[in-house]
Amino acid sequence: MTAKLTTVRSGALTTVQDAGRRGYAHLGVPRSGALDAPAMRLANRLLGNDPDAAVLETTLTGCALRPDRAMTAVVGGAHCPVTVDGRPAAWGAPVRVPAGAVLNVGTATAGVRSYVAVAGGIATDPVLGSRSTDLLSGLGPEPLRDGDVVPVGLPRPVALSVAAPWPGPPAELVLPVRLGPRADWFAPAALRTLTSATYRVSPHSNRIGLRTEGPPLERASAGELPSEGVVLGAVQVPPDGRPVIFLHDHPTTGGYPVVAVVAEPALAAAAQAAVGTPVRFTLG
């Protein structure tokens, strides 16, 4: 019989995520997947799972889960309090959760997104090769609601790791960029602003894009673009002139000019940058 987790408290936003759906952008399907992939992989390795096994990604307020049989879990990513039936438990290390006990993942105290991995991995049905929830296209399982039941795979008979170092959330988000395909749509002063000004993470950010607050970028061309393909990490500039960094649930096409593209390894830190975090763009 398949082990199950019942959602006691779903939190602000808890979704199933793995490495995402690669190779379907030409069909309008974004990659999706864990925004902080290194955190997902580290949590899985601590349990002996495949590094890209599906996990639960929580946003700010965590979640609470009750297994129908004893299982081992790791909570990592954004730092938060962890309890099992009200008793403090380890964050960032394997925790044994008895059958019927409640694993509570509390509100993030540093960072934005916590990851809940369980031995055996989350075993929802894959769609286009991935179990990830895609908020833009609606593919994959719905975000968790109170009372939802999530299946769990069979754990591997391997020795578990006890602990590992976890990176902290950025005090300042520094994003290395290369100028994008439409950099020539912006005035020279705008490009200097992009790489010299300090922006801040907007509260309107989500899994689709990290929005920024700060000085607008002045366009040299007032025309309109036809929709064209955009990639993960694209820095798109909407009419208000403030850069938006496309994250994993981004649309695969867009009509606003892309001034730059963020190197993909830097996006994990963007996933943990809280509202108000300073943002700087650097050429390189």
Side-chain angles (χ1 to χ4, degrees):
M1 259 179 90
T2 303
K4 296 179 176 64
L5 287 168
T6 297
T7 307
V8 176
R9 179 178 61 83
S10 56
L13 177 65
T14 300
T15 60
V16 178
Q17 300 296 338
D18 56 17
R21 299 177 181 85
R22 296 174 183 264
Y24 294 100
H26 65 295
L27 300 176
V29 178
R31 183 189 302 184
S32 64
L35 292 192
D36 187 348
M40 172 193 72
R41 291 176 181 136
L42 179 52
N44 276 322
R45 288 191 181 102
L46 289 170
L47 293 169
N49 291 343
D50 182 276
D52 292 331
V55 300
L56 298 179
E57 179 184 275
T58 75
T59 307
L60 292 175
T61 61
C63 66
L65 308 160
R66 179 186 289 115
D68 67 346
R69 63 194 70 184
M71 60 182 64
T72 305
V74 168
V75 180
H79 200 282
C80 62
V82 179
T83 62
V84 175
D85 268 355
R87 294 184 293 276
W91 174 90
V95 171
R96 193 68 174 164
V97 184
V102 174
L103 171 66
N104 190 72
V105 180
T107 297
T109 56
V112 177
R113 294 173 173 92
S114 298
Y115 290 86
V116 186
V118 292
I122 301 299
T124 52
D125 292 334
V127 178
L128 295 179
S130 171
R131 294 182 165 91
S132 289
T133 300
D134 179 350
L135 298 182
L136 186 67
S137 71
L139 292 176
E142 293 280 337
L144 291 190
R145 297 167 296 183
D146 294 358
D148 282 353
V149 176
V150 180
V152 175
L154 291 174
R156 295 175 177 175
V158 295
L160 305 182
S161 300
V162 176
W166 291 83
E172 179 183 53
L173 183 60
V174 179
L175 298 175
V177 298
R178 292 185 177 181
L179 292 182
R182 300 300 178 184
D184 58 350
W185 278 52
F186 294 88
L191 300 180
R192 289 193 295 272
T193 297
L194 178 69
T195 56
S196 63
T198 297
Y199 291 84
R200 293 190 179 274
V201 175
S202 163
H204 301 293
S205 302
N206 54 28
R207 281 187 49 88
I208 295 170
L210 186 147
R211 294 182 177 273
T212 65
E213 297 175 339
L217 302 181
E218 180 186 355
R219 281 175 49 169
S221 172
E224 296 297 329
L225 276 172
S227 287
E228 56 187 1
V230 289
V231 298
L232 179 66
V235 182
Q236 194 181 68
V237 183
D240 69 3
R242 291 167 177 86
V244 178
I245 301 101
F246 276 172
L247 301 179
H248 288 60
D249 287 359
H250 71 86
T252 57
T253 62
Y256 299 136
V258 172
V259 67
V261 179
V262 176
E264 185 173 340
L267 296 178
Q272 300 296 1
V275 171
T277 299
V279 181
R280 289 194 301 111
F281 298 94
T282 62
L283 283 177

